[in-house]
């Protein structure tokens, strides 16, 4: 089966997405990572548009990259200007990359109405630019902007544009669905025509404005394209570019094409999350293949099926892409869900125990608790039922005070009194709000004994009013998400009082972290002992 | 062009998504909304699985729905059991809907390995169930579960299953890509075969595990399917169902099929956001068609292009789906949205005023405010810009104290000091929580002067953390929904401190009520005067 090149433009097109921005350092980190996984091209930046990119291109030239080729991106020369005088082209060449990608308009409508030039001048802009860059000893990939719309508007002109680009020395022509408005069957048909016409390979670059960018990319490949351009997690302008994670997994696992390195797929989940962390954006839980919910089962029928026969509700083995199965405990739960969730915790499936856990979960859920996004609290609940939970601290009292100062400022102060072992810790802290102040005071009280708590931080919290007909007297459910260097976990608290509900969720988040770290240490110790024991043998 | 039926399963399949859950009240609200827009079927619930659904089905029977048919969902009878004895079937019929959807396995693998029964028994389960339900005077839609995988495993068996279902009386057969692992060309080819074979219409039900659920749904329709099942915003198990928003927009705008009511598309954006608010989940900004970023332009080239020639970077006019263009680097953002919102308030469209309002909204939105579900706060903001807002009270100070008692109980006390006219009111109140206590203290302070406040009460509040990377120090946005005998209105407050954010939203809710009542009185007086004046004439 054919090898399909993967061209990553996360660092350029992806950076045009709202809220996305990369430092030069970020770009270098991601470049290394993509190189390890065998991405064929990395479009590192747009020198004419972004000064910061110059630093990136200088530094990346010094990194040994054995698999990926770094590419600089730029536009065709300006209309009416001599290419050698165009400052944008100068910056592009100064970036010093062996390969350069040039974008030019392949649509007569765009040339005349948007660029406000003649059809002929637009073609000259394309051929002049490519020839010039070739004369400077570089290779050129040509991005045919608005290709599909241009083809529908005037197919001869669009085909002429790409033909001339190839003749001027472009080593590949990439068909761009720039406005993202094309349907898969159109992309397939038009791509096929171009593949038949051109003597150079053809690539595809789709945008997700109609929710079919991945399907469009696959259709183009089946029609003969040999390169797909996109971004990790589908970042990009408007609705984003084609999500390379889905493209890669589909090309290999569904269609049998060769992509990246043989081992790369197992690293997709980690790569996806790495990029989210880098841009400080939350994971998309229902993201195909790599989302936290991608293999999470909730409906009772699904859970009982998948526990016995994974193919019953999973289209692939999650481990192929570095992901894992999760069983969600919820109001649709029954016995199978509890069994499966507890199986993860490596406890015996004792029926009486399961009944006890089930009864507790049902009671808590009636009170407003929800464990689906609160695996941390669920784990602690199971330990309590098992009788193996040893709390690390005991709450004695707390107080939170929020008041306005005479200048209108808000001051929030929390005090906590807890018992840790034989000692009573009594601490006070200020914060931006009540939960922040409580958290700060608790850490003061706990950090001395449990320094590992410094490695965890709270990343999100949600409040949901339950039985809201009671207005402000209704109960609230607070969900907190915490993270350390390796994991993330959710905890939950319910009360009429939002501060009390937050306390419960916070306390669970610390306990989960402390229990988790102790179990890891215990396992590490046992491993050492086992190794020692086998050596002796 | 053909009319394609839209079958919404947000309330059933969508509810199987992680973190998604609907009260019976929520379900009724959404049902009305979908009916207004002309959704053909609404799968309201799964009676055998969820007790809460019974309440929904009872109440929905009393709502006059002129466009949508509400459907109850259930499984085929259990293996080896007489259909009339099956409790799941009983619950299904007790829901009382004219139409029922039955899901049954169309895959020999699933029948033998997962259900652990014989191929023949599985077919009998399908035909017995459908015949029985028909004999009870109901109509049946048959969901052929695992159809595409089943067809690839043993095509004869899969085709037999759906043929027998039609013969047993199913008025439609829906092909389900239950594991979400199929590619568009497979779905097209297989759907075409089924459409040729069956004497009844065929529907399609896709899951998004490969990021192509929308493309799969469109491919099936082009191959002859006449119904698409999915959920609003693509909620659902694992990676979700096909996103009906994208499906609807693509069917109409890209392929020219008839869907919903002629006017429905303009309401898609509002519908999408309504559902996110209902489940208290954040909007997906880069969601195709309706996302806040779907028509947001950031790159300079894009901005200048699209301002002059919208088709340069937009595949459709955003207003067709009720969305708007946003320019992320210019003061032109949101103009059309502001104009539409202020048009509602019957004020003159004075350009300078609009600029002032726009500037204020933009600044507030940067700070985290969102007015989409907070028309009350927006109205007050407009009055402030108009210079017509006269506050009814002035905050001088407040204090909220939450502490644990020695018996573990939580006590919450709030004091407020406000100026009303020439007087200073200083009151204290207890509450179940901080917001409840503040509300109680404020009412003590205001009720003497404004007895009409007793007619309003708060019915819901939602808290969303903004810039959640900062953990517990992040800002919070509090949305409050208030109601009196005739209206309901939303107000919003943003602060690092959840109490302060709640205060702002609360204060707005009182002010809105007081302004509204005064305007009504004013209009009533003017009416009387006019009548008096005409009598005199």
């Amino acid at each position: 089966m054919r090898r399909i090149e993967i061209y990553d433009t996360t660092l350029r097109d992806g950076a045009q997405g709202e809220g996305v921005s990369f430092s030069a350092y970020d770009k270098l980190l991601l470049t290394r990572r993509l190189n390890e996984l065998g991405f064929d091209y990395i479009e590192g930046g747009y020198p004419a548009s972004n000064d910061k990119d110059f630093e990136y291109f200088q530094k990346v030239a010094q990194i040994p990259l054995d698999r990926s080729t770094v590419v600089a991106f730029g536009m065709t020369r300006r209309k009416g200007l001599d290419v050698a005088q165009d400052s944008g082209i100068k910056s592009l060449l100064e970036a010093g990359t062996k390969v350069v990608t040039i974008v030019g308009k392949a649509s007569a409508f765009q040339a005349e109405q948007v660029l406000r030039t003649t059809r002929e001048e637009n073609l000259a802009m394309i051929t002049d630019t490519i020839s010039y860059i070739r004369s400077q000893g570089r290779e050129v990939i040509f991005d045919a902007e608005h290709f599909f719309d241009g083809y529908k508007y005037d197919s001869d002109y669009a085909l002429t544009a790409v033909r001339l680009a190839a003749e001027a020395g472009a080593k590949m022509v990439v068909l761009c669905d720039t406005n993202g408005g094309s349907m898969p069957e159109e992309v397939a048909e038009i791509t096929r025509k171009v593949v038949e016409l051109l003597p150079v390979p053809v690539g595809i670059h789709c945008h997700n404005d109609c929710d079919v960018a991945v399907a469009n990319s696959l259709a183009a490949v089946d029609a003969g394209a040999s390169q797909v351009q996109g971004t990790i997690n589908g970042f990009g302008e408007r609705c984003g570019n084609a999500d390379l994670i889905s493209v890669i997994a589909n090309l290999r696992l569904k269609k049998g094409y060769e992509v990246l390195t043989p081992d790369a797929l197992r690293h997709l989940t980690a790569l996806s999350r790495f990029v989210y962390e880098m841009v400080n954006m939350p994971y998309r839980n229902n993201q195909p293949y790599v989302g936290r919910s991608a293999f999470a089962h909730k409906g009772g029928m699904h859970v009982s099926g998948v526990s016995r026969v994974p193919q019953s509700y999973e289209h692939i083995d999650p481990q192929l892409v570095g992901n894992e199965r999760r069983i969600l405990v919820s109001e649709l739960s029954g016995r199978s869900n509890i069994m499966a969730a507890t199986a993860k915790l490596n406890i015996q499936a004792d029926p009486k125990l399961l009944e006890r856990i089930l009864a507790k979960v049902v009671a808590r859920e009636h009170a407003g608790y929800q464990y689906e996004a609160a695996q941390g609290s669920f784990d602690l609940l199971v330990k309590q039922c098992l009788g193996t939970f040893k709390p690390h601290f005991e709450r004695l009292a707390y107080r939170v005070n929020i008041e306005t100062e005479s200048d209108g400022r808000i001051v929030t102060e929390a005090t906590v009194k807890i018992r840790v072992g034989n000692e009573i810790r009594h601490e006070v802290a200020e914060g931006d709000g009540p939960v922040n102040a409580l958290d700060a005071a608790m850490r003061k009280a706990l950090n001395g004994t449990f320094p590992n708590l410094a490695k965890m931080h709270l990343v999100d919290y949600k409040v949901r009013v339950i039985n809201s007909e009671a207005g402000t007297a209704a109960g609230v459910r607070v969900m907190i998400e915490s993270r350390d260097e390796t994991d993330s976990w959710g905890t939950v608290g319910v009360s009429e009082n939002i501060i009390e509900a937050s306390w419960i969720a916070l306390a669970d988040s610390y306990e989960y972290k402390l229990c988790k770290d102790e179990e890891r240490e215990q396992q590490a110790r046992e491993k050492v002992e086992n190794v020692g024991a086998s050596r002796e043998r």
Side-chain angles (χ1 to χ4, degrees), chain A:
Chain A
M1 255 304 212
R2 280 194 290 149
R3 177 181 175 78
I4 305 301
E5 291 181 343
I6 304 295
Y7 181 115
D8 181 279
T9 180
T10 306
L11 299 176
R12 200 278 306 168
D13 217 352
Q16 282 170 218
E18 190 173 356
V20 179
S21 127
F22 298 103
S23 66
Y25 179 67
D26 288 337
K27 290 193 170 200
L28 292 164
L29 269 187
L30 185 58
T31 299
R32 284 184 199 270
R33 192 111 174 196
L34 296 176
N35 175 69
E36 267 171 49
L37 296 179
F39 280 71
D40 300 88
Y41 292 92
I42 299 170
E43 193 175 81
Y46 188 169
S49 159
N50 192 346
D51 294 332
K52 286 195 300 187
D53 285 346
F54 198 66
E55 184 191 348
Y56 163 80
F57 283 114
Q58 274 194 313
K59 296 200 162 134
V60 85
Q62 279 133 44
I63 303 177
L65 297 173
D66 54 340
R67 297 185 174 118
S68 306
T69 300
V70 170
V71 174
F73 174 89
M75 273 180 13
T76 46
R77 67 157 173 81
R78 293 197 130 70
K79 66 186 178 185
L81 197 62
D82 177 27
V83 61
Q85 308 304 323
D86 188 302
S87 59
I89 304 293
K90 281 197 181 121
S91 311
L92 188 54
L93 291 169
E94 270 160 23
T97 56
K98 187 173 73 127
V99 180
V100 145
T101 289
I102 289 291
V103 66
K105 308 243 183 257
S107 157
F109 175 85
Q110 292 280 333
E112 292 179 324
Q113 302 301 324
V114 181
L115 284 188
R116 291 186 287 189
T117 187
T118 64
R119 293 170 170 230
E120 294 71 27
E121 171 63 2
N122 181 56
L123 294 176
M125 285 156 68
I126 294 172
T127 54
D128 286 356
T129 306
I130 295 175
S131 314
Y132 180 70
I133 292 174
R134 293 288 290 132
S135 78
Q136 303 299 306
R138 314 297 179 89
E139 290 172 26
V140 177
I141 292 172
F142 178 64
D143 274 2
E145 209 193 16
H146 300 284
F147 186 80
F148 297 92
D149 294 338
Y151 186 96
K152 292 178 213 167
Y153 182 78
D154 182 339
S155 59
D156 286 337
Y157 187 81
L159 291 173
T160 301
V162 294
R163 183 174 51 77
L164 291 179
E167 283 169 19
K171 70 171 189 163
M172 167 174 271
V173 166
V174 179
L175 311 179
C176 303
D177 187 27
T178 307
N179 290 0
S182 297
M183 292 283 104
E185 60 278 6
E186 299 174 320
V187 171
E189 188 191 321
I190 295 169
T191 302
R192 195 168 296 125
K193 291 224 161 64
V194 178
V195 168
E196 279 162 19
L197 174 75
L198 292 188
V200 298
V202 171
I204 182 71
H205 176 118
C206 295
H207 281 268
N208 204 34
D209 298 75
C210 293
D211 223 350
V212 294
V214 171
N216 282 352
S217 305
L218 300 175
V221 168
D222 285 346
S226 53
Q227 181 187 98
V228 178
Q229 299 197 349
T231 61
I232 303 300
N233 300 330
F235 291 142
E237 195 100 31
R238 302 185 314 269
C239 304
N241 290 59
D243 184 348
L244 283 183
I245 302 283
S246 300
V247 167
I248 288 163
N250 284 334
L251 283 176
R252 166 78 72 79
L253 300 173
K254 297 290 162 176
K255 291 176 176 289
Y257 291 104
E258 192 194 314
V259 282
L260 306 184
T261 62
D263 195 47
L265 256 66
R266 288 195 308 108
H267 299 277
L268 284 182
T269 299
L271 174 64
S272 164
R273 293 176 190 187
F274 176 75
V275 176
Y276 281 118
E277 295 288 347
M278 180 175 271
V279 300
N280 213 1
M281 285 173 110
Y283 302 164
R284 203 183 121 208
N285 283 339
N286 66 358
Q287 189 168 346
Y289 286 111
V290 300
R292 294 187 73 230
S293 301
F295 300 91
H297 304 278
K298 179 168 157 183
M301 203 167 72
H302 288 216
V303 171
S304 67
V306 85
S307 309
R308 263 183 312 101
V309 184
Q311 307 92 306
S312 56
Y313 287 99
E314 286 174 3
H315 69 116
I316 61 158
D317 173 358
Q319 293 191 2
L320 287 176
V321 291
N323 206 345
E324 55 158 7
R325 177 177 309 132
R326 287 170 60 229
I327 305 297
L328 304 179
V329 180
S330 85
E331 67 207 348
L332 300 175
S333 289
R335 177 181 289 272
S336 327
N337 287 44
I338 307 291
M339 278 182 68
T342 48
K344 233 188 118 175
L345 300 173
N346 289 322
I347 58 175
Q348 302 281 27
D350 163 13
K352 276 205 185 134
L353 172 64
L354 288 174
E355 287 301 332
R356 213 157 53 230
I357 297 173
L358 184 58
K360 199 146 194 185
V361 168
V362 168
R364 287 270 180 96
E365 284 188 350
H366 274 134
Y369 282 81
Q370 228 185 65
Y371 290 101
E372 288 191 30
Q375 185 70 31
S377 291
F378 182 77
D379 283 5
L380 294 172
L381 185 153
V382 171
K383 284 181 164 66
Q384 281 168 341
C385 293
L386 274 176
T388 61
F389 175 59
K390 291 192 246 326
H392 295 80
F393 56 88
E394 181 196 350
R395 162 174 124 192
L396 301 173
Y398 71 74
R399 185 180 58 76
V400 180
N401 193 62
I402 304 107
E403 56 188 283
T404 55
E405 300 282 276
S406 47
D407 59 1
R409 255 189 332 129
I410 321 286
V411 172
T412 308
E413 183 188 273
T415 66
V416 298
K417 193 192 278 183
I418 61 174
R419 191 192 318 272
V420 182
N422 290 328
E423 294 177 37
I424 291 188
R425 307 274 168 81
H426 193 187
E427 299 285 355
V428 63
E430 281 189 319
D432 298 304
V435 181
N436 181 234
L438 260 182
D439 184 35
M442 278 298 285
R443 282 164 184 274
K444 272 185 164 181
L446 292 169
N447 276 345
T449 312
F450 305 113
N452 46 337
L453 285 181
K455 301 280 188 189
M456 89 176 234
H457 53 281
L458 278 70
V459 293
D460 199 5
Y461 83 90
K462 290 182 158 78
V463 176
R464 186 74 194 271
V465 171
I466 47 190
N467 57 280
S468 59
E469 317 82 57
T472 54
V476 287
R477 174 172 60 230
V478 169
M479 304 272 238
I480 274 177
E481 196 188 325
S482 309
R483 206 174 283 181
D484 65 7
E485 302 140 307
T486 51
D487 298 312
S488 77
W489 61 95
T491 53
V492 60
V494 172
S495 167
E496 280 173 320
N497 189 311
I498 196 175
I499 308 305
E500 173 68 2
S502 305
W503 167 280
I504 296 169
L506 269 177
D508 271 9
S509 74
Y510 307 135
E511 285 287 8
Y512 180 84
K513 163 71 173 167
L514 296 172
C515 291
K516 173 170 91 79
D517 283 0
E518 279 167 11
E519 278 160 26
R520 295 253 163 102
E521 272 175 60
Q522 173 72 6
Q523 285 166 8
R525 270 198 301 273
E526 285 170 3
K527 210 168 166 183
V528 167
E529 289 164 7
N530 286 340
V531 168
S534 13
R535 283 219 189 95
E536 279 170 34
R537 288 197 291 274

